[in-house]
Amino acid sequence: MDTPEKTQISSSLSKFEDSPVFNYINSLSPIKPVKSIHLTPAFNLLSFASLPSIFTSPHVSSHKESRFLKRHNYIDQSKPVLPSGKGTKVSTSEEPCMEASQLCDSSAELPENFGPGLSLDDASLELPNEPLRFAIELPRTLKYDCDSPDCDPAPCITETNCALESTCTSLSIVPFVQEASGNGFPDGGVEIAGISQNKQERETIGCAWDNLTHGATDMIFNSPNDSEAFRGVIQKSLDPGTKFCPTLISAFPQNHITKLPQTSVDSDELKDPSLHTGEVGVTNCMSGSLMHNVETGAGVSAPFSSEPSSNLHRGFRRRCLDFEILSARRKNLDGGSNTSSCVDNQLVPVRPGNGSSVCIVPGIGLHLNALAITSSDNQNTKHKILPSGTQKLSFPSSTTSILTPTTGQEAVHESLNPASTERETNVTENGVELAEDASQASACAINEEFNQISPKKKRRRLEQAGESEACKRCSCKKSKCLKLYCECFAAGVYCIDSCSCQDCFNKPFHEDIVLATRKQIESRNPLAFAPKVIRTSESIPEVGDDSSKTPASARHKRGCNCKKSSCLKKYCECYQGGVGCSINCRCEGCKNAFGRKDGSAMVETEGVPEEDEETDLDMNGVDKNLEKPDTFDNEEQNLVSALQTTPLQLCRTLVQLPFSSMSKPLRSFVSIGSSSTLYNGQGYGKPSIIRPRNIIEKHFQTVAEDEMPEMLLDNYSAGTGIKTSPNSKRISPPHGSTSGQRSGRKLILQSIPYSTLNGNGIQ
DNA sequence: GAGTTTGAAACT
DNA sequence: CAGTTTCAAACTC
């Protein structure tokens, strides 16, 4: 598509671009190369304001460029669509290009080039031409501004604005551009108007892009690690994608959409989503034009993918985990079978029938406790999280304590599982929300059907299906479902129709009560809602393999107190959780197949799957003894640390327990991805039974501490300080924080604002 | 499906 | 902190 001239120009430009400062200087200096000359006019037209932003952070990442290159390729493929003429026009204007300025200029020019009459489709088509050029240039410019974390906010903002606008415009490109052209500058207001008008078009366009981008997404994300996390999510989401895309598009503000291209280009941008977010509406730059180019060009490649990622950023890191998990899970599942649903509806609880392992999403939070999913069947477990009907209460157990007393739903949300809420909110931000809603809706439909059946029958069905646990359903009669006796409540979810509870207060209608109760409980025991089973990070076993194996490293946070069951029945929380007993346990006559308290492995595998035996072997001698050498405190610390470190998402993942064979999945076992170091048992290296955890761990590996769950921090930020007495179930609040353990994380965690998250209407 | 057993949660 | 009670899941028949 590109004319030789263009390419040449771009190349030369690229050189200059490498040093944005140089460019900037050039622009300023009276003495300038030919390029500078071109630029000046551009500046005149546009405004200098844009410049600073452009140059603000001149970090060029090689990988980014590589991305662009990829895009180019991608674009090229898509190019056929582009009409050469327009593209050439744009390029001409660009020649001198002082990158940003030119870009802006080009944007200004675009309207002219395109003429008012152009339809969006045309615009979209046209865009490809420029994209090639811009793909190179823009990315750089953008990169400079936004990519580097170092970049000053102000400049970033300006650029971001441009980007945002551009993004907005991209969808509504033509109309918007026209307006902009008319004004000389597109005012934010004008742009907006244009955007609003074109929403439908945008959507349509977005869809088209989705299709186009589909393939591109991979390319886009290839580079950076950060991006990868998103990539997985996005891709997955996308894969099912087409479904997802429209939702995303609609969900995403116009602004974001346009952004995507850029963001996609620059992984770095992802890092600073915050910068972009607020400013979308305002724009000064000809950004519209830029966007234009960008979008059409590079942007086209992966509008979506990039977008979500960009949106994700703020919350992303957290989300990333989620997505990662999801993606990972999905992969795992895929390996086994089809779990598209999960991906598609990441957030949505999937009905048992589906193979999807949705569960993860909603539950990501700490509330994993009860929800632990049994490994037995991914299928079964899939949706432990929230039965379609169930409404999420999930909140990170710990978080509630932190949360301020809330009134109203929002408050509820706050108290609610951070993970879920977070996710939801995040999702909303991302635009994923829609998907979730849709999924929920579908789930609801399912539920309705399901609800028609008597609760018991339902439950029974579920049990038979092995999913009873997947969807927590309680039978509380006296607790009103406001105590930990209630599995639903303990799991952080609202009771649903399918529950056979009586006088249930664990419903959205009683959010206030639920929250208050929750707080009360947490005040007593901050970890009351935390996962009961903590798993240490170990090497991540490959998917598939680990499912059956016992997680040697995993241990029940408090240990059991079994006296008659010999820790061989589900009465024992350790056994139920698929973990061996540990020093923390006060059990008598422990015969836990997953690992005896004394450290001996179980020989007898009552009902325990073969795999268990293997795990047992691992467990033998080593696990408890080794694990505990540090003392139980360590475990608890580990637990705490784990919580802290854990990404919020730990999710109610399905744990594949040896029970798989069993009709009923194990109840909740929540594994938390914890820093490996903390947990005693880690060393064993056994594959953990709990996949989710593994996934999580993976995620962590990539994610690093930055992403640490703020939620956890919030809740546990005292974190290190919180201790649970090994024997006593209750945890005393931290007195002197022993931050020492993970100095770094605390800081990171604080930032997570549930409130902000909650702000997006969750549920 | 009803009744029993069990151990966690809650309470004192 | 220990002991007791309450509770609901797990289990058995």
Side-chain angles (χ1 to χ4, degrees), chain A residues 249 267 366 480 516 527 643:
Chain A
I249 295 167
S267 62
L366 298 180
K480 296 179 181 179
L527 297 178
L643 292 177

Side-chain angles (χ1 to χ4, degrees), chain A residues 228-246:
Chain A
E228 287 180 355
F230 299 107
R231 178 188 23 167
V233 172
I234 294 166
Q235 287 177 342
K236 290 178 180 179
S237 63
L238 291 178
D239 291 348
T242 47
K243 297 175 182 177
F244 187 65
C245 294

Side-chain angles (χ1 to χ4, degrees), chain A residues 713-746:
Chain A
L713 292 179
D714 292 348
N715 292 339
Y716 299 97
S717 59
T720 56
I722 297 166
K723 290 182 180 180
T724 58
S725 63
N727 294 338
S728 67
K729 296 175 181 178
R730 293 177 185 176
I731 298 166
S732 62
H735 295 294
S737 66
T738 60
S739 61
Q741 290 176 339
R742 305 176 181 140
S743 59
R745 291 183 178 179
K746 279 186 173 182

Side-chain angles (χ1 to χ4, degrees), chain A residues 57-65 67-68 139-140 142-151 220 223-227 230 262-276 309-310 313 317:
Chain A
S57 66
H59 295 287
V60 174
S61 62
S62 62
H63 66 274
K64 290 178 180 179
E65 289 178 354
R67 290 179 182 175
F68 290 106
R140 292 177 184 173
L142 293 176
K143 289 176 181 177
Y144 296 110
D145 296 338
C146 301
D147 291 353
S148 67
D150 296 348
C151 64
I220 292 166
S223 62
N225 293 342
D226 293 350
S227 65
F230 299 107
Q262 293 176 341
T263 56
S264 65
V265 172
D266 295 347
S267 62
D268 294 352
E269 265 194 10
L270 296 179
K271 293 176 181 178
D272 294 342
S274 63
L275 295 178
H276 300 286
S309 64
S310 65
H313 275 317
R317 292 181 178 177

